[in-house]
């Protein structure tokens, strides 16, 4: 009879223990469940970040072909100093150039004997002390980067090598597309504004090797231009060749004058006169463009000296000079003209191919059409 209270007691204790275990298990499951829910939420953030990074890389990669390609070190490569102003307009600029022209010595063209491109150092050497020297890039690519627009660079070239670009050509006034390659690079060439060969005949052969190397790589003397036009220029000076684009001639001549002054080179009389005419067309003072008074005064000064020894001038005509007039008659009969009539060349290329260059006036094959500067020496 007293067992009934005991039975419920014994039965109640196990029930409470089971309930506590169930509640504890449920709580544990709840914690695990919460932790499980928090896991994905936490992992979602890195996944999103990775997606953004991947998207950014993808976007950068897709833009790369349309923009300039450079390496991290490329930005640190110094650019060469800009050349002289690419346009010289107005009376003031022209007069400044003309004043500098007046300081250049005027002499005849020296022989081309001994000229060799190697005497100006390795082509496009970076081992120079002018602007752009020792910047890690060769001079040709320095000038292409300076003168071309929309330039793309070769990856891994330290920001030096130009792959493509667009040239607004100063010599022709046209636009030239540049693409690096064995069959396409020649579309754009780097012109020596004062040709190396021309400089050799007007003073650079007297310079030391380092100075000649500087001359050949000086940005002031270099211009990216239309390739075929540069080939037509050859080694001509202002007396024999000027850019087809007349609007650029004043700048072109001014640059030649600046370079020749910087390297102590001279000009021929014909070259000086041609430069003066161009500067005159640009607005230089006419009185200085054609310095006719100076040569006249010089001739008069020379003429006034002989009148002093006038007594000697009378015997001079009576002496041997008159008999010497006769020999010039035999000179034409010396058969010199006859061979020249049978020997003729269509161009200086033919002369050089025949091994006859240069040809001096009076020699077989000489003709004025081959003597561009009229100095009596053709195909120099």
């Amino acid at each position: 009879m007293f067992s009934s209270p005991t039975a419920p007691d014994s039965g109640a204790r196990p029930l409470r223990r089971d309930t506590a275990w169930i509640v504890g298990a449920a709580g544990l499951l709840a914690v695990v469940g919460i932790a499980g829910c928090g896991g994905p939420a936490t992992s979602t953030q890195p996944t999103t970040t990775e997606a953004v990074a991947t998207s950014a890389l993808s976007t950068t990669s897709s833009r790369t072909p349309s923009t300039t390609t450079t390496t991290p070190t490329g930005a640190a490569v110094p650019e060469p100093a800009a050349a002289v102003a690419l346009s010289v307009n107005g009376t003031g600029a022209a007069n400044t150039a003309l004043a500098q022209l007046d300081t250049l010595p005027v002499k005849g063209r020296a022989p081309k004997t001994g000229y060799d491109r190697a005497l100006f150092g390795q082509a496009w050497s970076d081992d120079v002390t002018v602007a752009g020297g020792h910047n890690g890039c060769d001079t040709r690519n320095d000038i292409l980067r300076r003168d071309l627009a929309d330039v793309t660079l070769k990856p891994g070239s330290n920001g030096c090598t130009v792959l493509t670009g667009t040239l607004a050509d100063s010599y022709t006034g046209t636009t030239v597309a540049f693409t690096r390659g064995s069959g396409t690079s020649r579309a754009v060439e780097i012109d020596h504004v004062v040709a190396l060969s021309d400089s050799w005949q007007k003073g650079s052969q007297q310079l030391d090797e380092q100075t000649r190397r500087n001359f050949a790589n000086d940005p002031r003397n270099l211009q990216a231009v239309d390739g075929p036009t540069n080939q037509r220029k050859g080694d001509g000076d202002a007396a024999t060749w000027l850019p087809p684009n007349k609007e650029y001639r004043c700048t072109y001549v001014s640059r030649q004058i600046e370079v020749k002054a910087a390297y102590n080179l001279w000009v021929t009389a014909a070259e000086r006169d041609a430069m003066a005419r161009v500067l005159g067309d640009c607005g230089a003072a006419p009185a200085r463009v054609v310095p006719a008074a100076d040569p006249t005064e010089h001739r008069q000064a020379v003429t006034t000296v002989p009148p002093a020894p006038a007594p000697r001038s009378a015997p001079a005509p009576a002496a041997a000079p008159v008999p010497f007039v006769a020999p010039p008659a035999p000179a034409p009969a010396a058969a010199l003209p006859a061979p020249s009539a049978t020997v003729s060349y269509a161009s200086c290329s033919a002369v050089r191919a025949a091994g006859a260059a240069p040809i001096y006036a009076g020699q077989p094959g000489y003709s004025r059409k081959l003597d561009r500067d009229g100095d009596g020496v053709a195909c120099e």
Side-chain angles (χ1 to χ4, degrees):
M1 288 180 55
F2 294 97
S3 60
S4 57
T6 305
D9 267 353
S10 62
R13 287 191 185 93
L15 179 61
R16 286 195 296 271
R17 285 197 300 270
D18 291 344
T19 302
W21 180 88
I22 292 171
V23 170
L28 179 63
L29 287 174
V31 171
V32 172
I34 293 171
C37 293
T42 304
S43 64
T44 302
Q45 186 172 357
T47 302
T48 304
T49 303
E50 291 171 4
V52 171
T54 303
S55 174
L57 290 174
S58 175
T59 304
T60 302
S61 175
S62 65
R63 288 199 303 264
T64 301
S66 62
T67 59
T68 300
T69 303
T70 59
T71 59
T73 56
V77 176
E79 291 288 336
V84 293
L86 296 182
S87 62
V88 175
N89 298 312
T91 302
N95 277 333
T96 298
L98 187 60
Q100 192 169 39
L101 173 61
D102 289 342
T103 68
L104 300 182
V106 179
K107 303 181 183 179
R109 184 188 295 268
K112 193 176 177 180
T113 307
Y115 169 75
D116 192 304
R117 173 63 179 83
L119 293 171
F120 291 81
Q122 179 182 356
W124 311 127
S125 172
D126 188 40
D127 186 17
V128 291
T129 57
V130 292
H134 300 287
N135 68 351
C137 300
D138 65 272
T139 305
R140 172 177 166 79
N141 279 296
D142 279 344
I143 301 304
L144 288 175
R145 293 199 317 276
R146 185 194 71 184
D147 292 351
L148 270 59
D150 303 323
V151 168
T152 61
L153 303 176
K154 181 179 179 180
S157 68
N158 197 35
C160 291
T161 305
V162 176
L163 294 179
T164 61
T166 303
L167 172 69
D169 180 37
S170 300
Y171 285 5
T172 62
T174 61
T175 300
V176 182
F178 171 79
T179 301
R180 181 182 175 84
S182 58
T184 55
S185 289
R186 297 299 296 272
V188 174
E189 296 183 353
I190 308 301
D191 178 42
H192 286 94
V193 178
V194 175
L196 301 185
S197 174
D198 178 68
S199 78
W200 181 259
Q201 299 172 80
K202 297 172 184 176
S204 68
Q205 58 183 283
Q206 300 171 7
L207 304 176
D208 59 67
E209 192 275 338
Q210 174 66 62
T211 306
R212 284 198 297 267
R213 198 184 330 144
N214 285 344
F215 173 81
N217 293 277
D218 193 328
R220 292 175 296 178
N221 193 35
L222 298 173
Q223 181 72 31
V225 298
D226 173 64
T229 302
N230 186 46
Q231 289 297 312
R232 286 190 289 271
K233 171 189 173 180
D235 60 358
D237 60 17
T240 59
W241 189 90
L242 289 170
N245 179 17
K246 294 183 179 180
E247 294 182 359
Y248 188 70
R249 289 181 178 179
C250 193
T251 301
Y252 176 78
V253 164
S254 298
R255 291 181 66 178
Q256 286 190 324
I257 293 170
E258 179 183 4
V259 170
K260 292 204 169 191
Y263 288 90
N264 298 315
L265 306 180
W266 67 76
V267 293
T268 64
E271 181 182 12
R272 177 203 59 192
D273 293 345
M275 288 176 163
R277 282 194 297 271
V278 170
L279 294 173
D281 291 340
C282 300
R288 299 179 62 192
V289 172
V290 184
D294 293 341
T296 302
E297 290 173 1
H298 181 266
R299 294 190 194 100
Q300 290 175 349
V302 174
T303 306
T304 54
V305 176
R312 295 183 181 180
S313 62
V322 175
F324 279 94
V325 178
L336 288 177
S340 64
T342 58
V343 179
S344 62
Y345 300 97
S347 65
C348 283
S349 297
V351 175
R352 295 188 183 96
I359 305 177
Y360 294 86
Q363 289 184 333
Y366 172 86
S367 67
R368 293 186 62 83
K369 71 177 184 179
L370 300 177
D371 185 1
R372 295 186 302 175
D373 55 7
D375 63 351
V377 183
C379 302
E380 302 170 70

mmCIF file of all heavy atoms in Angstrom, residues 226-265:
data_model
loop_
_atom_site.group_PDB
_atom_site.id
_atom_site.type_symbol
_atom_site.label_atom_id
_atom_site.label_comp_id
_atom_site.label_asym_id
_atom_site.label_seq_id
_atom_site.Cartn_x
_atom_site.Cartn_y
_atom_site.Cartn_z
ATOM 1 N N ASP A 226 58.924 59.677 -92.250
ATOM 2 C CA ASP A 226 58.496 58.722 -93.274
ATOM 3 C C ASP A 226 59.722 58.084 -93.910
ATOM 4 O O ASP A 226 60.618 58.779 -94.411
ATOM 5 C CB ASP A 226 57.662 59.453 -94.324
ATOM 6 C CG ASP A 226 57.321 58.576 -95.504
ATOM 7 O OD1 ASP A 226 56.593 57.581 -95.316
ATOM 8 O OD2 ASP A 226 57.793 58.867 -96.626
ATOM 9 N N GLY A 227 59.788 56.748 -93.901
ATOM 10 C CA GLY A 227 60.969 56.031 -94.382
ATOM 11 C C GLY A 227 61.360 56.340 -95.823
ATOM 12 O O GLY A 227 62.510 56.703 -96.096
ATOM 13 N N PRO A 228 60.454 56.186 -96.796
ATOM 14 C CA PRO A 228 60.811 56.457 -98.189
ATOM 15 C C PRO A 228 61.302 57.893 -98.410
ATOM 16 O O PRO A 228 62.219 58.128 -99.195
ATOM 17 C CB PRO A 228 59.500 56.196 -98.943
ATOM 18 C CG PRO A 228 58.773 55.207 -98.080
ATOM 19 C CD PRO A 228 59.102 55.600 -96.680
ATOM 20 N N THR A 229 60.717 58.854 -97.706
ATOM 21 C CA THR A 229 61.160 60.241 -97.847
ATOM 22 C C THR A 229 62.577 60.407 -97.320
ATOM 23 O O THR A 229 63.399 61.118 -97.911
ATOM 24 C CB THR A 229 60.208 61.192 -97.096
ATOM 25 O OG1 THR A 229 58.880 61.030 -97.608
ATOM 26 C CG2 THR A 229 60.636 62.649 -97.260
ATOM 27 N N ASN A 230 62.888 59.740 -96.238
ATOM 28 C CA ASN A 230 64.240 59.801 -95.679
ATOM 29 C C ASN A 230 65.255 59.198 -96.650
ATOM 30 O O ASN A 230 66.381 59.693 -96.784
ATOM 31 C CB ASN A 230 64.288 59.053 -94.345
ATOM 32 C CG ASN A 230 65.617 59.200 -93.650
ATOM 33 O OD1 ASN A 230 66.166 60.289 -93.550
ATOM 34 N ND2 ASN A 230 66.151 58.093 -93.160
ATOM 35 N N GLN A 231 64.854 58.141 -97.342
ATOM 36 C CA GLN A 231 65.750 57.529 -98.322
ATOM 37 C C GLN A 231 66.030 58.488 -99.478
ATOM 38 O O GLN A 231 67.146 58.544 -99.990
ATOM 39 C CB GLN A 231 65.126 56.236 -98.854
ATOM 40 C CG GLN A 231 65.092 55.092 -97.841
ATOM 41 C CD GLN A 231 66.471 54.665 -97.413
ATOM 42 O OE1 GLN A 231 67.358 54.449 -98.230
ATOM 43 N NE2 GLN A 231 66.672 54.564 -96.101
ATOM 44 N N ARG A 232 65.017 59.246 -99.861
ATOM 45 C CA ARG A 232 65.226 60.217 -100.952
ATOM 46 C C ARG A 232 66.139 61.351 -100.516
ATOM 47 O O ARG A 232 66.885 61.902 -101.330
ATOM 48 C CB ARG A 232 63.881 60.759 -101.433
ATOM 49 C CG ARG A 232 63.091 59.753 -102.264
ATOM 50 C CD ARG A 232 61.892 60.403 -102.930
ATOM 51 N NE ARG A 232 60.853 60.744 -101.972
ATOM 52 C CZ ARG A 232 59.875 59.906 -101.615
ATOM 53 N NH1 ARG A 232 59.830 58.685 -102.120
ATOM 54 N NH2 ARG A 232 58.948 60.284 -100.754
ATOM 55 N N LYS A 233 66.111 61.713 -99.251
ATOM 56 C CA LYS A 233 67.002 62.770 -98.765
ATOM 57 C C LYS A 233 68.461 62.346 -98.854
ATOM 58 O O LYS A 233 69.321 63.133 -99.251
ATOM 59 C CB LYS A 233 66.652 63.111 -97.316
ATOM 60 C CG LYS A 233 67.684 64.049 -96.671
ATOM 61 C CD LYS A 233 67.471 64.233 -95.190
ATOM 62 C CE LYS A 233 68.598 65.028 -94.557
ATOM 63 N NZ LYS A 233 68.414 65.232 -93.102
ATOM 64 N N GLY A 234 68.746 61.100 -98.488
ATOM 65 C CA GLY A 234 70.136 60.640 -98.501
ATOM 66 C C GLY A 234 70.978 61.471 -97.540
ATOM 67 O O GLY A 234 70.596 61.717 -96.400
ATOM 68 N N ASP A 235 72.136 61.943 -98.032
ATOM 69 C CA ASP A 235 73.008 62.772 -97.187
ATOM 70 C C ASP A 235 73.008 64.227 -97.655
ATOM 71 O O ASP A 235 73.964 64.958 -97.456
ATOM 72 C CB ASP A 235 74.436 62.211 -97.173
ATOM 73 C CG ASP A 235 75.056 62.168 -98.570
ATOM 74 O OD1 ASP A 235 74.359 62.530 -99.545
ATOM 75 O OD2 ASP A 235 76.225 61.769 -98.683
ATOM 76 N N GLY A 236 71.909 64.634 -98.276
ATOM 77 C CA GLY A 236 71.825 65.994 -98.804
ATOM 78 C C GLY A 236 71.794 67.056 -97.718
ATOM 79 O O GLY A 236 71.334 66.825 -96.604
ATOM 80 N N ASP A 237 72.299 68.240 -98.062
ATOM 81 C CA ASP A 237 72.211 69.384 -97.156
ATOM 82 C C ASP A 237 71.093 70.304 -97.627
ATOM 83 O O ASP A 237 70.361 69.965 -98.563
ATOM 84 C CB ASP A 237 73.555 70.120 -97.053
ATOM 85 C CG ASP A 237 74.028 70.660 -98.405
ATOM 86 O OD1 ASP A 237 73.206 70.759 -99.343
ATOM 87 O OD2 ASP A 237 75.227 70.977 -98.523
ATOM 88 N N ALA A 238 70.955 71.460 -97.006
ATOM 89 C CA ALA A 238 69.835 72.354 -97.331
ATOM 90 C C ALA A 238 69.897 72.866 -98.763
ATOM 91 O O ALA A 238 68.875 73.286 -99.311
ATOM 92 C CB ALA A 238 69.808 73.529 -96.359
ATOM 93 N N ALA A 239 71.085 72.851 -99.369
ATOM 94 C CA ALA A 239 71.204 73.325 -100.748
ATOM 95 C C ALA A 239 70.697 72.299 -101.753
ATOM 96 O O ALA A 239 70.384 72.646 -102.895
ATOM 97 C CB ALA A 239 72.666 73.670 -101.060
ATOM 98 N N THR A 240 70.614 71.035 -101.347
ATOM 99 C CA THR A 240 70.223 69.983 -102.287
ATOM 100 C C THR A 240 68.925 69.286 -101.920
ATOM 101 O O THR A 240 68.339 68.599 -102.749
ATOM 102 C CB THR A 240 71.337 68.921 -102.373
ATOM 103 O OG1 THR A 240 71.555 68.362 -101.068
ATOM 104 C CG2 THR A 240 72.631 69.528 -102.874
ATOM 105 N N TRP A 241 68.468 69.427 -100.658
ATOM 106 C CA TRP A 241 67.223 68.765 -100.258
ATOM 107 C C TRP A 241 66.566 69.523 -99.124
ATOM 108 O O TRP A 241 67.222 69.939 -98.167
ATOM 109 C CB TRP A 241 67.489 67.327 -99.796
ATOM 110 C CG TRP A 241 66.232 66.530 -99.587
ATOM 111 C CD1 TRP A 241 65.577 65.776 -100.501
ATOM 112 C CD2 TRP A 241 65.471 66.436 -98.363
ATOM 113 N NE1 TRP A 241 64.445 65.218 -99.934
ATOM 114 C CE2 TRP A 241 64.366 65.603 -98.629
ATOM 115 C CE3 TRP A 241 65.626 66.984 -97.093
ATOM 116 C CZ2 TRP A 241 63.412 65.302 -97.659
ATOM 117 C CZ3 TRP A 241 64.669 66.685 -96.120
ATOM 118 C CH2 TRP A 241 63.582 65.845 -96.407
ATOM 119 N N LEU A 242 65.247 69.672 -99.248
ATOM 120 C CA LEU A 242 64.421 70.257 -98.199
ATOM 121 C C LEU A 242 63.160 69.413 -98.069
ATOM 122 O O LEU A 242 62.730 68.766 -99.033
ATOM 123 C CB LEU A 242 64.046 71.702 -98.528
ATOM 124 C CG LEU A 242 65.172 72.740 -98.457
ATOM 125 C CD1 LEU A 242 64.714 74.070 -99.054
ATOM 126 C CD2 LEU A 242 65.652 72.938 -97.016
ATOM 127 N N PRO A 243 62.534 69.362 -96.903
ATOM 128 C CA PRO A 243 61.319 68.558 -96.725
ATOM 129 C C PRO A 243 60.225 68.983 -97.703
ATOM 130 O O PRO A 243 60.047 70.178 -97.964
ATOM 131 C CB PRO A 243 60.903 68.861 -95.283
ATOM 132 C CG PRO A 243 62.158 69.304 -94.603
ATOM 133 C CD PRO A 243 62.936 70.042 -95.650
ATOM 134 N N PRO A 244 59.495 68.021 -98.283
ATOM 135 C CA PRO A 244 58.382 68.361 -99.177
ATOM 136 C C PRO A 244 57.343 69.250 -98.500
ATOM 137 O O PRO A 244 56.723 70.085 -99.150
ATOM 138 C CB PRO A 244 57.788 66.992 -99.541
ATOM 139 C CG PRO A 244 58.902 66.018 -99.309
ATOM 140 C CD PRO A 244 59.694 66.574 -98.161
ATOM 141 N N ASN A 245 57.157 69.071 -97.210
ATOM 142 C CA ASN A 245 56.212 69.885 -96.440
ATOM 143 C C ASN A 245 56.834 71.266 -96.200
ATOM 144 O O ASN A 245 57.662 71.441 -95.307
ATOM 145 C CB ASN A 245 55.882 69.199 -95.112
ATOM 146 C CG ASN A 245 54.922 70.016 -94.262
ATOM 147 O OD1 ASN A 245 54.251 70.927 -94.754
ATOM 148 N ND2 ASN A 245 54.859 69.696 -92.982
ATOM 149 N N LYS A 246 56.441 72.250 -96.979
ATOM 150 C CA LYS A 246 57.051 73.580 -96.910
ATOM 151 C C LYS A 246 56.853 74.247 -95.552
ATOM 152 O O LYS A 246 57.671 75.070 -95.140
ATOM 153 C CB LYS A 246 56.488 74.470 -98.020
ATOM 154 C CG LYS A 246 56.872 74.011 -99.417
ATOM 155 C CD LYS A 246 56.353 74.962 -100.492
ATOM 156 C CE LYS A 246 56.779 74.503 -101.878
ATOM 157 N NZ LYS A 246 56.280 75.427 -102.934
ATOM 158 N N GLU A 247 55.775 73.888 -94.866
ATOM 159 C CA GLU A 247 55.514 74.503 -93.558
ATOM 160 C C GLU A 247 56.544 74.089 -92.511
ATOM 161 O O GLU A 247 56.672 74.746 -91.474
ATOM 162 C CB GLU A 247 54.106 74.136 -93.088
ATOM 163 C CG GLU A 247 52.999 74.730 -93.960
ATOM 164 C CD GLU A 247 51.620 74.388 -93.429
ATOM 165 O OE1 GLU A 247 51.542 73.668 -92.400
ATOM 166 O OE2 GLU A 247 50.623 74.821 -94.030
ATOM 167 N N TYR A 248 57.265 73.007 -92.781
ATOM 168 C CA TYR A 248 58.246 72.537 -91.808
ATOM 169 C C TYR A 248 59.675 72.985 -92.146
ATOM 170 O O TYR A 248 60.591 72.788 -91.357
ATOM 171 C CB TYR A 248 58.205 71.008 -91.725
ATOM 172 C CG TYR A 248 59.051 70.447 -90.598
ATOM 173 C CD1 TYR A 248 58.673 70.613 -89.268
ATOM 174 C CD2 TYR A 248 60.232 69.763 -90.868
ATOM 175 C CE1 TYR A 248 59.452 70.116 -88.235
ATOM 176 C CE2 TYR A 248 61.014 69.255 -89.835
ATOM 177 C CZ TYR A 248 60.614 69.435 -88.521
ATOM 178 O OH TYR A 248 61.383 68.945 -87.506
ATOM 179 N N ARG A 249 59.867 73.591 -93.292
ATOM 180 C CA ARG A 249 61.226 73.900 -93.740
ATOM 181 C C ARG A 249 61.952 74.868 -92.818
ATOM 182 O O ARG A 249 63.154 74.750 -92.594
ATOM 183 C CB ARG A 249 61.183 74.452 -95.167
ATOM 184 C CG ARG A 249 60.842 73.384 -96.196
ATOM 185 C CD ARG A 249 60.827 73.922 -97.611
ATOM 186 N NE ARG A 249 60.553 72.856 -98.575
ATOM 187 C CZ ARG A 249 60.467 73.045 -99.883
ATOM 188 N NH1 ARG A 249 60.640 74.273 -100.384
ATOM 189 N NH2 ARG A 249 60.225 72.025 -100.682
ATOM 190 N N CYS A 250 61.245 75.828 -92.284
ATOM 191 C CA CYS A 250 61.884 76.802 -91.406
ATOM 192 C C CYS A 250 62.416 76.105 -90.155
ATOM 193 O O CYS A 250 63.552 76.353 -89.723
ATOM 194 C CB CYS A 250 60.890 77.895 -91.020
ATOM 195 S SG CYS A 250 61.666 79.335 -90.263
ATOM 196 N N THR A 251 61.600 75.224 -89.584
ATOM 197 C CA THR A 251 62.039 74.464 -88.411
ATOM 198 C C THR A 251 63.205 73.558 -88.765
ATOM 199 O O THR A 251 64.183 73.454 -88.023
ATOM 200 C CB THR A 251 60.880 73.629 -87.863
ATOM 201 O OG1 THR A 251 59.816 74.507 -87.506
ATOM 202 C CG2 THR A 251 61.304 72.821 -86.655
ATOM 203 N N TYR A 252 63.101 72.898 -89.906
ATOM 204 C CA TYR A 252 64.145 71.967 -90.346
ATOM 205 C C TYR A 252 65.493 72.675 -90.480
ATOM 206 O O TYR A 252 66.517 72.214 -89.956
ATOM 207 C CB TYR A 252 63.724 71.358 -91.680
ATOM 208 C CG TYR A 252 64.738 70.447 -92.318
ATOM 209 C CD1 TYR A 252 64.913 69.145 -91.863
ATOM 210 C CD2 TYR A 252 65.511 70.874 -93.397
ATOM 211 C CE1 TYR A 252 65.839 68.296 -92.454
ATOM 212 C CE2 TYR A 252 66.435 70.041 -93.995
ATOM 213 C CZ TYR A 252 66.595 68.747 -93.520
ATOM 214 O OH TYR A 252 67.523 67.913 -94.116
ATOM 215 N N VAL A 253 65.501 73.800 -91.153
ATOM 216 C CA VAL A 253 66.735 74.564 -91.343
ATOM 217 C C VAL A 253 67.256 75.084 -90.004
ATOM 218 O O VAL A 253 68.466 75.066 -89.737
ATOM 219 C CB VAL A 253 66.488 75.716 -92.341
ATOM 220 C CG1 VAL A 253 67.605 76.742 -92.269
ATOM 221 C CG2 VAL A 253 66.368 75.166 -93.760
ATOM 222 N N SER A 254 66.351 75.540 -89.146
ATOM 223 C CA SER A 254 66.760 76.049 -87.839
ATOM 224 C C SER A 254 67.432 74.959 -87.009
ATOM 225 O O SER A 254 68.414 75.205 -86.302
ATOM 226 C CB SER A 254 65.554 76.611 -87.090
ATOM 227 O OG SER A 254 64.981 77.703 -87.782
ATOM 228 N N ARG A 255 66.912 73.737 -87.100
ATOM 229 C CA ARG A 255 67.515 72.629 -86.369
ATOM 230 C C ARG A 255 68.898 72.303 -86.917
ATOM 231 O O ARG A 255 69.825 72.002 -86.164
ATOM 232 C CB ARG A 255 66.606 71.400 -86.429
ATOM 233 C CG ARG A 255 65.328 71.572 -85.652
ATOM 234 C CD ARG A 255 64.454 70.329 -85.707
ATOM 235 N NE ARG A 255 65.086 69.203 -85.015
ATOM 236 C CZ ARG A 255 64.510 68.017 -84.886
ATOM 237 N NH1 ARG A 255 63.302 67.807 -85.398
ATOM 238 N NH2 ARG A 255 65.121 67.034 -84.258
ATOM 239 N N GLN A 256 69.050 72.337 -88.240
ATOM 240 C CA GLN A 256 70.365 72.092 -88.825
ATOM 241 C C GLN A 256 71.382 73.124 -88.339
ATOM 242 O O GLN A 256 72.519 72.792 -87.989
ATOM 243 C CB GLN A 256 70.286 72.124 -90.354
ATOM 244 C CG GLN A 256 69.625 70.897 -90.961
ATOM 245 C CD GLN A 256 69.794 70.853 -92.468
ATOM 246 O OE1 GLN A 256 69.772 71.889 -93.137
ATOM 247 N NE2 GLN A 256 69.950 69.663 -93.014
ATOM 248 N N ILE A 257 70.954 74.361 -88.293
ATOM 249 C CA ILE A 257 71.849 75.432 -87.840
ATOM 250 C C ILE A 257 72.235 75.203 -86.380
ATOM 251 O O ILE A 257 73.408 75.336 -86.015
ATOM 252 C CB ILE A 257 71.171 76.805 -88.021
ATOM 253 C CG1 ILE A 257 70.989 77.105 -89.514
ATOM 254 C CG2 ILE A 257 71.982 77.904 -87.346
ATOM 255 C CD1 ILE A 257 70.125 78.326 -89.792
ATOM 256 N N GLU A 258 71.262 74.864 -85.541
ATOM 257 C CA GLU A 258 71.550 74.646 -84.124
ATOM 258 C C GLU A 258 72.545 73.508 -83.925
ATOM 259 O O GLU A 258 73.487 73.605 -83.138
ATOM 260 C CB GLU A 258 70.271 74.340 -83.355
ATOM 261 C CG GLU A 258 70.523 74.084 -81.874
ATOM 262 C CD GLU A 258 69.270 73.714 -81.104
ATOM 263 O OE1 GLU A 258 68.211 73.570 -81.728
ATOM 264 O OE2 GLU A 258 69.371 73.565 -79.872
ATOM 265 N N VAL A 259 72.339 72.408 -84.656
ATOM 266 C CA VAL A 259 73.224 71.249 -84.514
ATOM 267 C C VAL A 259 74.627 71.579 -85.010
ATOM 268 O O VAL A 259 75.626 71.240 -84.362
ATOM 269 C CB VAL A 259 72.645 70.040 -85.281
ATOM 270 C CG1 VAL A 259 73.667 68.910 -85.360
ATOM 271 C CG2 VAL A 259 71.370 69.550 -84.599
ATOM 272 N N LYS A 260 74.723 72.260 -86.145
ATOM 273 C CA LYS A 260 76.050 72.587 -86.684
ATOM 274 C C LYS A 260 76.790 73.549 -85.755
ATOM 275 O O LYS A 260 78.009 73.449 -85.589
ATOM 276 C CB LYS A 260 75.922 73.169 -88.093
ATOM 277 C CG LYS A 260 75.450 72.140 -89.112
ATOM 278 C CD LYS A 260 75.850 72.484 -90.536
ATOM 279 C CE LYS A 260 75.593 71.290 -91.455
ATOM 280 N NZ LYS A 260 76.186 71.445 -92.785
ATOM 281 N N ALA A 261 76.060 74.448 -85.146
ATOM 282 C CA ALA A 261 76.695 75.365 -84.200
ATOM 283 C C ALA A 261 77.174 74.616 -82.956
ATOM 284 O O ALA A 261 78.259 74.878 -82.434
ATOM 285 C CB ALA A 261 75.724 76.477 -83.812
ATOM 286 N N ALA A 262 76.375 73.648 -82.489
ATOM 287 C CA ALA A 262 76.723 72.903 -81.279
ATOM 288 C C ALA A 262 77.967 72.048 -81.469
ATOM 289 O O ALA A 262 78.732 71.834 -80.520
ATOM 290 C CB ALA A 262 75.553 72.024 -80.855
ATOM 291 N N TYR A 263 78.188 71.564 -82.697
ATOM 292 C CA TYR A 263 79.318 70.661 -82.953
ATOM 293 C C TYR A 263 80.415 71.305 -83.811
ATOM 294 O O TYR A 263 81.267 70.602 -84.356
ATOM 295 C CB TYR A 263 78.802 69.371 -83.599
ATOM 296 C CG TYR A 263 78.059 68.503 -82.613
ATOM 297 C CD1 TYR A 263 76.684 68.649 -82.425
ATOM 298 C CD2 TYR A 263 78.726 67.569 -81.828
ATOM 299 C CE1 TYR A 263 75.997 67.877 -81.495
ATOM 300 C CE2 TYR A 263 78.047 66.786 -80.902
ATOM 301 C CZ TYR A 263 76.687 66.944 -80.744
ATOM 302 O OH TYR A 263 76.008 66.178 -79.824
ATOM 303 N N ASN A 264 80.388 72.630 -83.918
ATOM 304 C CA ASN A 264 81.446 73.372 -84.615
ATOM 305 C C ASN A 264 81.639 72.902 -86.062
ATOM 306 O O ASN A 264 82.763 72.733 -86.530
ATOM 307 C CB ASN A 264 82.776 73.240 -83.854
ATOM 308 C CG ASN A 264 82.700 73.814 -82.459
ATOM 309 O OD1 ASN A 264 82.173 74.906 -82.249
ATOM 310 N ND2 ASN A 264 83.202 73.072 -81.476
ATOM 311 N N LEU A 265 80.530 72.699 -86.752
ATOM 312 C CA LEU A 265 80.573 72.321 -88.160
ATOM 313 C C LEU A 265 80.383 73.565 -89.018
ATOM 314 O O LEU A 265 79.864 74.579 -88.557
ATOM 315 C CB LEU A 265 79.486 71.297 -88.467
ATOM 316 C CG LEU A 265 79.468 70.046 -87.582
ATOM 317 C CD1 LEU A 265 78.332 69.125 -87.992
ATOM 318 C CD2 LEU A 265 80.803 69.308 -87.642
#
